Amino acid sequence: MKMMVRVTLKHVDDDYERIRFDLSINANNEPNKEMMYFGYEGQLNNVEDSHPVMLNQKGVIDLGDGFESSCRFHKTNLLDKVVELKNYVTIWWKYGVEEIESVYIIEGVTILN
């Protein structure tokens, strides 16, 4: 049985930094790795500090063509995780040659269908 859920990731060191993705998960709460996913980063109430993101089948986050190519693509292990509250997810943000490892916690899982 597959189910669509909205997963909210909250940075462990920043109460305001959140990323959300709509994911298809199986009965074991594992993401379907054969799909492209959409989401957004930032706050819902501040359009200037929010923007859409995509997550591909390889776990690469694409911030879109509004970003330079050296800062556009970032890696995450979200697709390798069980989607459950309080599980940790890592995102490796790449800025040019610098890579910053950030840890997030699954703060919310909302059933969409």
Side-chain angles (χ1 to χ4, degrees), residues 9 19 30 34 40 53 57 63 68 77 91 94 110:
L9 306 176
I19 302 173
E30 300 164 331
E34 298 175 8
Y40 61 94
V53 296
Q57 300 89 333
L63 298 180
E68 293 182 27
N77 62 358
I91 297 176
K94 186 169 178 148
T110 305

Side-chain angles (χ1 to χ4, degrees), residues 5-9 19-25 29-33 37-38 53-61 75-84 87-92 104-106 108-109:
V5 295
R6 177 161 296 142
V7 178
T8 302
L9 306 176
I19 302 173
R20 295 164 179 88
F21 288 102
D22 293 350
L23 301 177
S24 172
I25 60 172
N29 293 339
E30 300 164 331
N32 175 358
K33 292 183 180 182
Y37 294 108
F38 299 94
V53 296
M54 291 188 341
L55 175 63
N56 74 15
Q57 300 89 333
K58 295 180 181 180
V60 174
I61 296 171
K75 183 76 174 145
T76 182
N77 62 358
L78 175 59
L79 298 180
D80 299 321
K81 299 290 184 169
V82 173
V83 177
E84 292 180 349
N87 275 359
Y88 291 98
V89 173
T90 303
I91 297 176
W92 293 272
Y104 294 77
I105 190 165
I106 297 178
V109 180

Side-chain angles (χ1 to χ4, degrees), residues 92-107:
W92 293 272
W93 297 105
K94 186 169 178 148
Y95 299 102
V97 295
E98 183 180 3
E99 188 172 84
I100 299 170
E101 182 177 286
S102 295
V103 178
Y104 294 77
I105 190 165
I106 297 178
E107 175 184 57

Side-chain angles (χ1 to χ4, degrees), residues 11-71:
H11 194 285
V12 295
D13 295 326
D14 185 343
D15 283 339
Y16 297 103
E17 185 177 340
R18 287 184 173 67
I19 302 173
R20 295 164 179 88
F21 288 102
D22 293 350
L23 301 177
S24 172
I25 60 172
N26 64 24
N28 295 322
N29 293 339
E30 300 164 331
N32 175 358
K33 292 183 180 182
E34 298 175 8
M35 293 181 64
M36 180 77 92
Y37 294 108
F38 299 94
Y40 61 94
E41 177 186 29
Q43 300 176 26
L44 286 173
N45 59 354
N46 189 341
V47 175
E48 291 180 14
D49 291 333
S50 304
H51 57 277
V53 296
M54 291 188 341
L55 175 63
N56 74 15
Q57 300 89 333
K58 295 180 181 180
V60 174
I61 296 171
D62 182 348
L63 298 180
D65 64 4
F67 289 81
E68 293 182 27
S69 61
S70 63
C71 301

